Amino acid sequence: MNQSIDFNTKLHFSSLADTLKMKGFREFLFRGNLVQLAVAVVIGASFSNLVTAFTTGLITPILGVFGTQPNFTSYSFTINKSEFCYGYFVNALLAFFITALILYYIVVVPSEWVLEKFTKAHESMQRSCPECTSIISKLATRCPFCTTKVQPIHPELEISEELHLTNHENLSGG
């Protein structure tokens, strides 16, 4: 039994496996969510530096006006020759609250407003089935839950009927 191993074939399969591993790794790296997450981390770090500079440069001196010392980093106390610098914590706490306030009023409040607008628009395209009371599209001709035939309601017709009613009320003085 003469068994010979073709090293070129083994090398070829090895490089193919390495190529497939690298291809999978490359796909993982450039997957949309991972790239977006990386960008978010970098922006978050930059935003953190910005808020820290804002806190130490503007807010801390303003708060220091009410006390005797405008910089909280030098606040400390000593116990048995160990110095506890609680001023750094105060600055970090201020930076945290300012970051939270900015994120809330610049990101959360506007996104809730936009989400509310989209929800209202989505709800305006729905109605309930007269037979089973399930929520269905206004454009549906048959309920997908109970299969009852329903009359579609076209948004253009609703708007024109509302305008007609409004114009009729205006003309009749009511």
Side-chain angles (χ1 to χ4, degrees):
M1 283 193 196
N2 188 5
Q3 291 183 345
S4 63
I5 299 175
D6 184 9
F7 289 107
N8 291 332
T9 305
K10 188 174 182 181
L11 182 63
H12 175 71
F13 284 127
S14 174
S15 65
L16 179 64
D18 289 342
T19 303
L20 290 176
K21 287 179 187 174
M22 288 306 294
K23 181 181 177 189
F25 183 66
R26 185 175 57 239
E27 288 174 358
F28 170 74
L29 283 180
F30 293 109
R31 195 177 296 163
N33 293 342
L34 188 64
V35 172
Q36 290 172 353
L37 180 63
V39 169
V41 167
V42 169
I43 289 174
S46 297
F47 186 72
S48 174
N49 289 338
L50 180 70
V51 170
T52 302
F54 178 73
T55 303
T56 57
L58 296 174
I59 300 300
T60 304
I62 290 172
L63 293 176
V65 168
F66 300 109
T68 59
Q69 196 169 15
N71 188 358
F72 295 116
T73 55
S74 61
Y75 285 4
S76 64
F77 62 91
T78 306
I79 298 176
N80 291 337
K81 297 183 183 178
S82 295
E83 186 175 7
F84 296 90
C85 301
Y86 67 91
Y88 290 106
F89 176 74
V90 171
N91 277 345
L93 192 62
L94 285 171
F96 171 77
F97 281 123
I98 290 170
T99 304
L101 281 170
I102 290 172
L103 286 176
Y104 181 75
Y105 286 110
I106 292 179
V107 176
V108 174
V109 170
S111 65
E112 285 178 355
W113 180 76
V114 169
L115 185 63
E116 181 181 313
K117 292 290 183 188
F118 282 124
T119 304
K120 284 182 182 177
H122 179 69
E123 288 174 354
S124 70
M125 292 300 298
Q126 295 179 335
R127 64 178 172 157
S128 57
C129 172
E131 189 68 29
C132 68
T133 66
S134 297
I135 301 297
I136 61 172
S137 171
K138 285 186 175 182
L139 301 176
T141 57
R142 188 176 293 272
C143 176
F145 302 103
C146 67
T147 68
T148 303
K149 283 189 175 185
V150 293
Q151 189 67 26
I153 301 172
H154 295 285
E156 300 87 29
L157 295 177
E158 263 188 1
I159 293 170
S160 65
E161 287 175 7
E162 288 175 10
L163 288 174
H164 176 70
L165 288 174
T166 306
N167 288 337
H168 186 272
E169 289 172 357
N170 288 339
L171 291 175
S172 65

